[in-house]
Amino acid sequence: MRYDCIIIGSGPAGLSAAINLKTYNKNFLWFGNANLSDKVQKAEKVTNYPGMPEITGQELAGAFVTHKEHAGLEIIDKIVSTIYDMGGYYTVMAENQFFETDSIILATGVVPSNQYSGEAEFVGRGVSYCATCDGALYKGKTIAVVATAKRFEHEIAFLTDLAEKVYLFPYYKDCEIEKENVERIKKPIKEIKGGFRVEELVYGENESLKVDGVFVMRSAIAPTTLLNKLEVKDGHIEVNRQMETNVKGVFAAGDCTGKPYQYAKAVGEGNVAAHSVIEYLGEK
Ligand code: FAD
């Protein structure tokens, strides 16, 4: 089955795009975080969102969830790791499942620019963002797993069942992964090194681990890692006023397109992107 659109990202931009695609009865999927966006939850006080003169982030998140439910929208709580251009349509990979779509809205938020040194270089050659997709390659091997949120623990558990040794770098509170073959390390990562493939992880005070692979589990993935021919400037996806990217049928909205990083901008761009998708589908 081929969908009209796939929205990637569940913050205000993704929500706004989803509400509008639903209004126009489009057949779409929406990938993101079941909690919508940590960035909404975490705001102490929001004073610049029209109609809500003073509201906490949690209250705003609650209002977004109510709207999502009222509109009958479902979020698929999976990280999208790759988009394949199939020439006229796209295949989206989310945790080892593939979905076909005519168009895409990227609403992934801004990706912190703290990619590790060597990370981009070794993508597909030992650096992976998806346990269920690539885990089997590391059966009986030694891997490092870097995770930024508790929601990845089911994927980490999957990897600990396969790999012989797992060096786990949990950058979140209350890590519950306890297993004989797992060694937890609470030090910063410095560099991923190797030859053709990953061979070594450097961390802490230039300490080093011999590894066959490194799994990096963040809630967001750099746009060019998702789709390598996307035009990006200073880490932001280049768009025009219709929220079109340089790739036909791929649109972007919200923080991922640039500053200011604001709810109202994200919502507005999500709205425009959805309308552009509707027009694009009509022309197609
Ligand atoms: P985000 O809110 O970042 O949402 C993106 C979502 O998509 C995330 O849930 C992410 O997990 C998910 N996602 C990303 N990549 C993938 C993928 N590959 N697969 C699946 N899901 C993915 N703005 C204001 O206007 N007023 C304020 O008062 C204000 N206060 C703030 C306070 C704090 C502490 C912070 C951090 C931000 C604040 N902001 C404020 C900024 C605001 O949070 C952002 O501008 C806004 O959330 C951007 O929305 P977005 O939809 O673009 O992305």
Side-chain angles (χ1 to χ4, degrees), residues 9-13 32 36-37 48 78 80 108-109 219 254-255 261-263:
S10 51
L36 294 179
S37 164
N48 65 344
K78 289 182 191 293
V80 172
T108 50
S219 296
D255 282 4
Y261 300 149
Q262 299 275 268
Y263 302 124

Side-chain angles (χ1 to χ4, degrees), residues 118-129 134-139 141-144 191-201 209-215:
E119 180 182 331
E121 185 190 338
F122 288 107
V123 171
R125 291 186 290 123
V127 168
S128 172
Y129 299 102
D134 298 331
L137 301 173
Y138 297 93
K139 198 166 181 202
K141 299 202 169 173
T142 298
I143 57 172
E191 192 178 359
I192 300 168
K193 289 166 93 171
F196 177 69
R197 288 187 56 85
V198 166
E199 291 167 4
E200 188 185 351
L201 183 72
L209 297 168
K210 292 276 172 241
V211 291
D212 299 302
V214 178
F215 283 82

Side-chain angles (χ1 to χ4, degrees), residues 32-237:
N33 183 334
N35 289 332
L36 294 179
S37 164
D38 290 346
K39 283 192 189 162
V40 181
Q41 304 269 0
K42 281 181 184 163
E44 214 177 309
K45 199 186 276 181
V46 181
T47 55
N48 65 344
Y49 197 77
M52 299 176 175
E54 194 171 300
I55 190 168
T56 65
Q58 289 212 337
E59 286 165 341
L60 184 59
F64 284 163
V65 169
T66 304
H67 201 155
K68 176 194 105 149
E69 282 164 7
H70 185 264
L73 294 163
E74 299 274 344
I75 293 176
I76 304 173
D77 192 345
K78 289 182 191 293
I79 298 281
V80 172
S81 52
T82 317
I83 299 167
Y84 299 99
D85 186 344
M86 310 301 284
Y89 70 99
Y90 296 90
T91 296
V92 164
M93 184 166 83
E95 295 177 21
N96 222 17
Q97 279 186 285
F98 295 89
F99 305 88
E100 290 185 0
T101 179
D102 278 323
S103 66
I104 289 175
I105 297 177
L106 297 167
T108 50
V110 74
V111 180
S113 57
N114 57 350
Q115 275 205 330
Y116 304 116
S117 172
E119 180 182 331
E121 185 190 338
F122 288 107
V123 171
R125 291 186 290 123
V127 168
S128 172
Y129 299 102
C130 175
T132 45
C133 319
D134 298 331
L137 301 173
Y138 297 93
K139 198 166 181 202
K141 299 202 169 173
T142 298
I143 57 172
V145 179
V146 184
T148 59
K150 200 169 175 62
R151 66 188 287 224
F152 296 114
E153 285 198 342
H154 69 286
E155 290 200 65
I156 301 169
F158 173 74
L159 291 171
T160 62
D161 286 343
L162 286 168
E164 187 176 287
K165 175 83 186 175
V166 176
Y167 296 106
L168 176 60
F169 292 77
Y171 295 129
Y172 59 90
K173 283 187 202 151
D174 310 324
C175 174
E176 286 180 81
I177 303 283
E178 300 275 0
K179 248 184 128 187
E180 258 175 34
N181 64 336
V182 177
E183 185 177 331
R184 279 199 227 168
I185 303 175
K186 289 216 163 170
K187 290 185 179 177
I189 306 267
K190 288 203 144 164
E191 192 178 359
I192 300 168
K193 289 166 93 171
F196 177 69
R197 288 187 56 85
V198 166
E199 291 167 4
E200 188 185 351
L201 183 72
V202 183
Y203 70 101
E205 300 293 314
N206 285 331
E207 290 146 278
S208 163
L209 297 168
K210 292 276 172 241
V211 291
D212 299 302
V214 178
F215 283 82
V216 183
M217 294 175 184
R218 294 193 189 95
S219 296
I221 292 173
T224 45
T225 303
L226 280 176
L227 182 60
N228 62 9
K229 59 183 178 177
L230 266 185
E231 243 169 54
V232 169
K233 196 175 169 199
D234 300 329
H236 297 125
I237 303 167

